[in-house]
């Protein structure tokens, strides 16, 4: 229909013409495709300025290789036609018909109020805006964005030295290749998180991240795992690890086997044992006397030192040395020989004090028991007592008679006695 020299196409007529064109001519050259895209934009220019838009959709985020679902929904449907277009403005579905030959697109649901389509085996090239169109008067259009996530294809730790020496600083590099978006790398030594330095390189639409960690190692790090962990929305718990191998010089310890405890007295034996741990295990171990020669009667057998009969000339510092490929370490034992009876007097005095303390405790306990017994005895025999003047008072009719009847009266006052029990 022409109106003032302008061609006006009704919605229903446009549906038929668009469908007919795409069915009759599925392939277009670049110029035709551009012209068709321009005409579609001209036809749909009223959507963004129109009123009462009924189309609803949501953005989609999907991992490469998974399935993306695109939904075009209509609120307050009036049976208008719904269609879905790809980023190149090619119709994927017109109602329930699929003009596009890409079989990865499949119809999930079609009704007057919804057009839902799934896209299987999603790749990075599928990323972009997909358009939902509703043929109303005026026409409506909205778009949904598909974002494709690509997890790192490989995660590798490179270590500067396979075997490090205690006190050295080594370099470790962890590389996460070909991810989208760029990944975040975290470092752990055992359960402790460490801080690395990351660099990001972009290749086309992919990102490669390399994180560098400088670590000063000690003997306590030997056998501890260093973990490279990836934080990325497309993957969970992706990590790799390397176990540290640290070499260190021996750690030496001298222990006294005999006497087990107490003083080292003259005439008694002494036995010492040297223990050494290192990586590699120490192969050379020896005993020596610091600042003096080893006495001739001292017997050294491997890691053991034995003096069968101590005397005061044995006083001094005895050292055990152990070495390996990394270095040498030692531990010292200071020997002081006491008199043969040293410590006995103090032991006797301690026994005497214990005996005296025991006797005192027994005496105090006996006295307490005696006091308790006497207290209970007097408590049971406590009562009243009478004087001689009071005798006969119970049978008297009055006070005067009681006085007369009292034994001895006032004349025997010298014989009056009082008894108290």
């Amino acid at each position: 229909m022409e109106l003032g020299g302008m061609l006006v196409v009704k919605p229903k007529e446009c549906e038929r013409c668009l469908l007919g064109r795409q069915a009759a001519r599925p392939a277009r050259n670049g110029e035709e495709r551009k012209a068709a895209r321009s005409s579609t934009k001209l036809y749909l220019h009223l959507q963004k300025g129109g009123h009462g838009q009924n189309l609803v959709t949501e953005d989609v985020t999907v991992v490469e290789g998974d399935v993306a679902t695109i939904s075009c929904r209509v609120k307050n449907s009036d049976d208008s036609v719904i269609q879905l277009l790809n980023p190149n403005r090619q119709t994927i579905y017109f109602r329930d018909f699929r003009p596009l030959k890409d079989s990865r697109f499949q119809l999930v649901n079609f009704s007057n109020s919804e057009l839902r389509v799934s896209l299987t085996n999603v790749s990075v090239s599928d990323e972009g805006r997909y358009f939902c169109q509703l043929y109303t008067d005026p026409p409506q259009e909205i778009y949904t964005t598909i974002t494709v996530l690509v997890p790192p294809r490989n995660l590798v730790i490179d270590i500067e030295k396979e075997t490090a020496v205690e006190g050295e600083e080594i370099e470790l590099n962890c590389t996460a290749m070909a991810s989208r978006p760029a990944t975040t790398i975290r470092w752990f030594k055992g359960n402790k998180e460490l801080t690395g330095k990351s660099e990001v390189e972009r290749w086309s639409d992919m990102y490669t991240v390399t994180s560098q960690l400088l670590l000063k190692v000690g003997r306590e790090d030997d056998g501890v795992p260093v973990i490279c962990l990836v934080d990325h929305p497309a993957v969970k718990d992706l990590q790799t690890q390397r176990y540290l191998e640290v070499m260190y010089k021996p750690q030496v310890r001298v222990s006294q086997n005999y006497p087990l405890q107490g003083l080292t007295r003259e005439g008694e034996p002494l036995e010492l044992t040297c223990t050494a741990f290192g990586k590699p295990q120490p192969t050379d171990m020896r005993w020596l006397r610091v600042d003096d020669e080893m006495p001739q009667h001292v017997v050294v057998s491997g890691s053991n030192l034995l003096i069968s009969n101590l005397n005061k000339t044995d006083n001094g510092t005895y050292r055990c040395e152990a070495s390996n490929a990394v270095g040498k370490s030692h531990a010292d034992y200071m020997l002081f020989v006491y008199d043969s009876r040293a410590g006995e007097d103090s032991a006797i005095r301690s026994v005497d004090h214990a005996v005296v303390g025991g006797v005192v405790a027994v005496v105090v306990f006996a006295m307490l028991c005696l006091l308790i017994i006497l207290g209970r005895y007097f408590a049971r025999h406590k009562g009243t007592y009478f004087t001689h003047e009071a005798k006969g008072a119970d049978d008297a009719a009055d006070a005067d008679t009681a006085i007369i009847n009292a034994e001895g009266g006032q004349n025997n006052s010298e014989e009056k006695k009082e008894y108290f029990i």
Side-chain angles (χ1 to χ4, degrees):
M1 179 177 68
E2 291 189 40
L3 181 60
M6 182 183 298
L7 178 63
V8 178
V9 183
K10 293 182 179 179
K12 296 296 181 181
E13 295 176 354
C14 184
E15 294 171 15
R16 289 194 296 271
C17 72
L18 284 175
L19 181 56
R21 288 177 186 171
Q22 291 175 349
R25 300 180 61 186
R28 293 183 175 135
N29 58 33
E31 295 297 329
E32 290 175 333
R33 195 174 291 119
K34 183 176 180 181
R37 197 172 304 157
S38 300
S39 64
T40 305
K41 289 182 180 179
L42 176 64
Y43 173 72
L44 296 171
H45 79 283
L46 296 174
Q47 181 269 335
K48 295 186 179 179
H51 299 285
Q53 295 183 18
N54 294 324
L55 277 173
V56 179
T57 189
E58 296 89 17
D59 291 340
V60 178
T61 300
V62 61
V63 178
E64 184 183 36
D66 287 354
V67 179
T69 301
I70 307 170
S71 176
C72 301
R73 298 188 304 278
V74 181
K75 292 184 177 179
N76 305 320
S77 173
D78 60 358
D79 297 335
S80 297
V81 174
I82 311 172
Q83 79 167 349
L84 177 65
L85 289 79
N86 66 12
N88 295 323
R89 289 284 183 174
Q90 296 171 323
T91 301
I92 301 172
Y93 268 92
F94 186 89
R95 299 178 66 91
D96 58 350
F97 175 69
R98 189 187 75 212
L100 197 66
K101 300 305 180 183
D102 191 343
S103 60
R104 295 181 303 146
F105 290 98
Q106 295 294 323
L107 186 65
V108 177
N109 181 51
F110 171 73
S111 66
N112 292 331
S113 60
E114 183 183 36
L115 174 61
R116 190 189 311 166
V117 177
S118 66
L119 171 60
T120 59
N121 194 22
V122 176
S123 65
V124 175
S125 61
D126 296 318
E127 192 173 76
R129 290 182 176 181
Y130 290 74
F131 300 90
C132 296
Q133 292 182 349
L134 181 64
Y135 287 97
T136 58
D137 189 11
Q140 299 182 39
E141 176 184 291
I142 60 174
Y143 64 84
T144 177
T145 302
I146 291 183
T147 302
V148 180
L149 306 177
V150 181
R153 302 189 186 280
N154 201 4
L155 190 63
V156 179
I157 293 181
D158 292 322
I159 189 168
E160 181 183 12
K161 289 184 177 181
E162 294 293 332
T163 302
V165 177
E166 180 182 22
E168 281 187 340
E169 185 177 67
I170 61 173
E171 179 182 330
L172 298 94
N173 289 282
C174 183
T175 304
M177 293 182 285
S179 66
R180 178 181 180 156
T183 188
T184 300
I185 293 179
R186 300 168 63 192
W187 288 98
F188 291 86
K189 185 180 73 173
N191 295 323
K192 182 182 179 182
E193 185 167 2
L194 307 175
T195 302
K197 182 181 179 181
S198 295
E199 293 183 358
V200 180
E201 295 182 25
R202 182 171 180 174
W203 299 90
S204 184
D205 292 331
M206 298 296 181
Y207 297 87
T208 295
V209 180
T210 301
S211 180
Q212 180 190 68
L213 176 68
L214 297 177
L215 181 63
K216 187 174 182 179
V217 297
R219 65 181 62 199
E220 67 279 359
D221 296 323
D222 184 49
V224 175
V226 175
I227 302 168
C228 173
L229 184 144
V230 163
D231 278 342
H232 193 274
V235 66
K236 291 183 178 179
D237 301 325
L238 177 60
Q239 64 180 41
T240 186
Q241 63 183 22
R242 292 286 296 269
Y243 287 89
L244 295 174
E245 186 173 355
V246 182
M247 299 177 65
Y248 51 91
K249 63 183 181 180
Q251 184 175 2
V252 185
R253 177 174 172 267
V254 175
S255 58
Q256 180 178 310
N257 296 338
Y258 187 88
L260 295 177
Q261 56 185 2
L263 302 177
T264 49
R265 291 191 286 260
E266 194 172 13
E268 294 184 353
L270 171 68
E271 182 179 359
L272 303 177
T273 297
C274 180
T275 307
F277 300 96
K279 188 171 183 178
Q281 188 64 23
T283 56
D284 185 17
M285 186 179 299
R286 69 190 188 100
W287 284 94
L288 57 93
R289 188 177 181 183
V290 180
D291 298 331
D292 205 345
E293 294 183 357
M294 186 74 77
Q296 293 184 354
H297 59 278
V298 173
V299 177
V300 176
S301 177
S303 60
N304 294 329
L305 181 147
L306 175 65
I307 303 177
S308 58
N309 189 4
L310 287 172
N311 60 68
K312 294 190 175 182
T313 60
D314 297 327
N315 288 339
T317 301
Y318 293 81
R319 174 172 294 175
C320 175
E321 288 185 348
S323 61
N324 60 10
V326 180
K328 181 169 63 174
S329 301
H330 68 269
D332 292 341
Y333 176 85
M334 295 186 65
L335 174 62
F336 184 83
V337 180
Y338 294 86
D339 292 336
S340 59
R341 296 183 58 85
E344 293 182 0
D345 294 340
S346 60
I348 294 174
R349 284 195 297 271
S350 63
V351 172
D352 291 343
H353 292 161
V355 171
V356 171
V359 171
V360 171
V362 170
V363 171
V364 171
F365 179 75
M367 293 180 65
L368 288 174
C369 292
L370 180 61
L371 289 175
I372 291 172
I373 293 172
L374 289 175
R376 290 177 61 85
Y377 176 80
F378 285 119
R380 288 184 177 182
H381 292 80
K382 182 179 180 181
T384 59
Y385 65 93
F386 301 93
T387 62
H388 289 284
E389 290 86 347
K391 292 182 178 181
D394 294 338
D395 298 330
D398 52 29
D400 294 335
T401 305
I403 294 173
I404 294 172
N405 290 341
E407 288 186 8
Q410 299 291 332
N411 296 325
N412 291 329
S413 59
E414 70 278 7
E415 296 179 359
K416 294 178 183 178
K417 296 181 180 179
E418 293 180 353
Y419 300 91
F420 173 80
I421 297 178

